[in-house]
Amino acid sequence: MRRWNGWGDEHIDYPLPPSATPFLVEAVGAATAPEDAALADVVATVPPSRLPIHHLVSTDPLDRLLHARGQSLPDWIALRSGRIGAFPDGVAYPHTNAQVRELLEYAARHQACVIPYGGGTSVVGHINVLPGDKPTLTVDLRRMSRMLDLDTISQVATFGAGVLGPDLEAQLRAHGLTLGHFPQSFELSTLGGWIVTRSNGQQSLGYGRIEAMFAGGRLESPAGTMTLPGFPASAAGPDLREVVLGSEGRLGMLTEASVRVRPLPETEEFRAVFFPDFDSGQEAVREMMQARLPLSMLRLSTDVETETTLALAGYETLIRLLKGWLRLRGVGRKRSMLIVGLVGQEASVSLVRQQVLAVAGIYGGVDVGQLLGNQWRKGRFHTPYLRNTLWEAGYALDTLETATHWSNVSHMVASIEETLRTGLLDIGERVLVFSHLSHTYPSGSNIYTTYLYRISENGDVEETLRRWRVLKAAASKAILAAGGTITHQHGIGTDHLPYLSEEKGILGMATLNDVCKRFDPQGIMNPGKLVA
Ligand SMILES: Cc1cc2nc3c(=O)[nH]c(=O)nc-3n(C[C@H](O)[C@H](O)[C@H](O)COP(=O)(O)OP(=O)(O)OC[C@H]3O[C@@H](n4cnc5c(N)ncnc54)[C@H](O)[C@@H]3O)c2cc1C
């Protein structure tokens, strides 16, 4: 069973290792566990539905609660406190394109808003219901999850767009194939959600971004059906796939998606290299990227993230020995950990490994082998469970991300981190902040920052939310001021909407609005997200 007010399967936990509590107390102070609202009490607050009866629509209060909020920190605060705000008036689970069309017509007839729902893992308010006079219908697409076609000669597979990550990979694995899209939310997010949020998998360096994987599909919109043919390439004017990518449910529902797949790799390897500091690691990563080394992943942590990762890893004796050994090799307290992913045939992996270690060596990098890399791989979809444990220990955790050119990466990291670190000093609260680069390009990199602060000690929900608002607004402004995109992978939703026009400009925003109007003349599709 999925947790209704947190991350993942309710039977899976991520207990804090003994070293974590003293680490957190030193970083931000001792915390008090908040009191969570009980499921039954929250279900009891769901108001009567404003939607007329329809054979495809459930108005069950539990269904409506389970589709009310996503996974952003404000969503967590709402779910844990039981102050949900607005609920969808009904939830539908269509199986077919015809049912999706029927639901769109029903919504239009009753002037209801429609929110397409994939896995509900949005971290920027994408699937939340906005309060208002109109009823809202949430359309959960997870029952449209079958493999509909597989062209093994061309390596193109077509799926119902509601397919979850593990289910998609399992269906491909049966044919010796993989898509290779592994966002950290893989367990609970869907193919359609990945496409319309321009999500990024952890190994996008090797497998490509979702934009390159998405070959074509079918969009059911209020204005009609749009079929995107999946040609290998085309010069037939602007590419309409680009209109769907990042459309965040504003245009309609992507019901089918064709994706470019590939054979499962012969071998895959993850290893860790430690650099004396983040700057030298960054130089090495840039050089690897600009040499176009065929890697599947590079993930470089700042010194604070490296220390935090080691503190939360457990294995205290092993980590102590590792630190001692690194010190002897010239890598001290400012150490910066790089996880390198290599994928392909044995012979090419071996060759690329040599090239990577040669570049790393120039910048003082020390290879520690595959143990930590394998640990990272094993735990990569488990790490989000830590957020449950931290919350229950009294700590709120959130992440934000951007991308910028290499020439600006150090400035950007410093600017975001300083803004967050000092963001609550006026109320005497410290914020633990750390970053990594995990999606790197020849011209630049994303920057992914995690921050953690104490939940308001006296259970004041508004105060916990206010702290988030202060930090999020300050960091978003710092990102724009330092010349970064407002989002590299999470999308716009509601939380980034105030900042989008600075990036797109007046004409750009007008174009986006016009496109939404063309597909959705009545403005019923996911209003208030992406564009106002
Ligand atoms: C713990 C955690 C880790 C994460 N890690 C990553 C990561 O590594 N990389 C990354 O890019 N993101 C990550 N995310 C963010 C999130 O998982 C992605 O944005 C993901 O793509 C959302 O997919 P979903 O299926 O859950 O979509 P939802 O959250 O259900 O919906 C997101 C948006 O897409 C729309 N939508 C969904 N399906 C369809 C459809 N079929 N047709 C039309 N519109 C649709 C919705 O209306 C909404 O606007 C993470 C989130 C969490 C909570």
Side-chain angles (χ1 to χ4, degrees):
M1 260 290 261
R2 183 167 165 178
R3 271 188 180 82
W4 71 276
N5 61 356
W7 180 255
D9 186 318
E10 61 187 14
H11 299 297
I12 301 179
D13 288 323
Y14 191 131
L16 282 181
S19 51
T21 306
F23 176 82
L24 291 168
V25 170
E26 198 187 322
V28 296
T32 319
E35 203 174 312
D36 290 340
L39 176 59
D41 293 341
V42 185
V43 170
T45 67
V46 179
S49 170
R50 294 168 295 177
L51 280 171
I53 290 170
H54 186 281
H55 69 111
L56 292 173
V57 178
S58 158
T59 53
D60 174 57
L62 180 60
D63 271 343
R64 291 168 58 203
L65 167 60
L66 295 181
H67 290 82
R69 303 294 293 231
Q71 287 288 325
S72 69
L73 187 49
D75 292 337
W76 270 56
I77 295 170
L79 289 163
R80 295 280 181 159
S81 65
R83 300 188 194 178
I84 305 295
F87 294 87
D89 290 270
V91 181
Y93 303 89
H95 286 85
T96 64
N97 288 313
Q99 288 181 343
V100 170
R101 288 234 61 83
E102 192 181 334
L103 289 165
L104 283 173
E105 279 150 27
Y106 160 81
R109 212 167 38 249
H110 298 289
Q111 298 191 342
C113 301
V114 177
I115 302 183
Y117 186 101
T121 66
S122 161
V123 283
V124 290
H126 279 126
I127 51 106
N128 297 356
V129 180
L130 301 183
D133 297 339
K134 289 184 179 175
T136 295
L137 171 66
T138 291
V139 180
D140 182 328
L141 291 151
R142 281 175 293 183
R143 298 207 179 146
M144 300 184 78
S145 60
R146 273 189 316 113
M147 185 191 274
L148 303 169
D149 186 52
L150 176 63
D151 177 348
T152 49
I153 296 175
S154 314
Q155 298 184 345
V156 175
T158 303
F159 287 93
V163 63
L164 290 164
D167 195 11
L168 173 142
E169 280 294 333
Q171 293 185 66
L172 288 174
R173 203 174 309 119
H175 299 272
L177 297 165
T178 180
L179 178 63
H181 189 78
F182 302 112
Q184 198 186 40
S185 57
F186 177 72
E187 182 186 342
L188 297 177
S189 55
T190 64
L191 176 58
W194 298 340
I195 292 167
V196 304
T197 60
R198 301 183 88 101
S199 115
N200 229 311
Q202 289 167 334
Q203 286 164 273
S204 65
L205 179 51
Y207 291 102
R209 291 173 60 97
I210 197 76
E211 291 94 310
M213 296 169 175
F214 176 47
R218 180 183 177 113
L219 183 84
E220 298 293 355
S221 81
T225 302
M226 182 168 77
T227 308
L228 297 163
F231 301 121
S234 166
D239 189 342
L240 291 172
R241 284 175 315 155
E242 285 292 341
V243 173
V244 173
L245 283 157
S247 58
E248 302 192 353
R250 286 302 309 247
L251 308 183
M253 282 171 272
L254 187 67
T255 55
E256 296 172 11
S258 299
V259 283
R260 301 175 176 128
V261 298
R262 61 180 77 199
L264 285 162
E266 190 177 297
T267 185
E268 208 166 11
E269 177 178 310
F270 294 88
R271 51 195 315 121
V273 177
F274 282 83
F275 290 89
D277 53 41
F278 183 62
D279 286 345
S280 47
Q282 205 191 120
E283 286 297 295
V285 167
R286 179 169 65 83
E287 191 166 319
M288 289 174 205
M289 287 311 304
Q290 294 178 343
R292 269 71 174 175
L293 293 185
L295 297 160
S296 76
M297 196 188 85
L298 287 169
R299 187 186 199 275
L300 180 74
S301 299
T302 56
D303 54 341
V304 177
E305 181 166 293
T306 302
E307 236 17 59
T308 309
T309 307
L310 297 179
L312 297 182
Y315 320 111
E316 279 175 52
T317 312
L318 196 70
I319 300 284
R320 206 169 332 107
L321 289 172
L322 173 74
K323 286 181 181 173
W325 184 71
L326 285 171
R327 252 192 312 277
L328 292 175
R329 304 284 310 271
V331 175
R333 297 184 69 83
K334 287 274 163 201
R335 62 194 147 245
S336 166
M337 181 170 74
L338 174 69
I339 304 282
V340 184
L342 300 138
V343 67
Q345 294 182 327
E346 296 279 2
S348 62
V349 163
S350 163
L351 184 67
V352 178
R353 186 191 311 120
Q354 284 172 34
Q355 292 171 310
V356 164
L357 296 184
V359 176
I362 297 170
Y363 297 95
V366 177
D367 174 34
V368 299
Q370 294 188 45
L371 186 70
L372 284 174
N374 286 338
Q375 279 305 120
W376 176 85
R377 180 202 198 169
K378 214 168 100 198
R380 63 176 163 163
F381 304 131
H382 189 214
T383 314
Y385 285 86
L386 181 58
R387 203 175 175 198
N388 299 322
T389 323
L390 287 170
W391 180 276
E392 282 146 24
Y395 299 99
L397 180 140
D398 194 21
T399 60
L400 47 86
E401 32 81 58
T402 180
T404 193
H405 288 127
W406 282 119
S407 50
N408 195 34
V409 167
S410 296
H411 170 60
M412 180 67 79
V413 172
S415 171
I416 297 171
E417 291 198 347
E418 179 63 9
T419 303
L420 289 169
R421 201 175 296 115
T422 56
L424 299 179
L425 280 186
D426 61 328
I427 54 163
E429 288 294 323
R430 282 172 289 152
V431 181
L432 173 65
V433 189
F434 47 86
S435 307
H436 63 248
L437 315 181
S438 49
H439 300 278
T440 47
Y441 307 90
S443 60
S445 175
N446 83 327
I447 294 154
Y448 189 93
T449 301
T450 302
Y451 59 100
L452 177 145
Y453 64 90
R454 291 199 295 181
I455 293 168
S456 170
E457 324 59 275
N458 52 12
D460 182 346
V461 178
E462 276 311 315
E463 172 57 17
T464 302
L465 188 58
R466 189 195 70 81
R467 291 178 189 179
W468 175 82
R469 283 205 191 101
V470 166
L471 294 172
K472 178 73 178 177
S476 300
K477 286 178 195 154
I479 285 172
L480 295 183
T485 172
I486 191 62
T487 170
H488 167 265
Q489 66 209 58
H490 287 162
I492 298 299
T494 48
D495 296 352
H496 292 148
L497 196 149
Y499 310 99
L500 186 64
S501 57
E502 187 159 335
E503 192 163 323
K504 300 288 186 208
I506 293 170
L507 185 56
M509 290 307 289
T511 307
L512 289 180
N513 269 302
D514 287 352
V515 170
C516 291
K517 245 199 176 101
R518 165 57 61 187
F519 283 84
D520 175 25
Q522 277 182 269
I524 61 171
M525 294 305 307
N526 210 5
K529 322 295 164 57
L530 181 65
V531 289

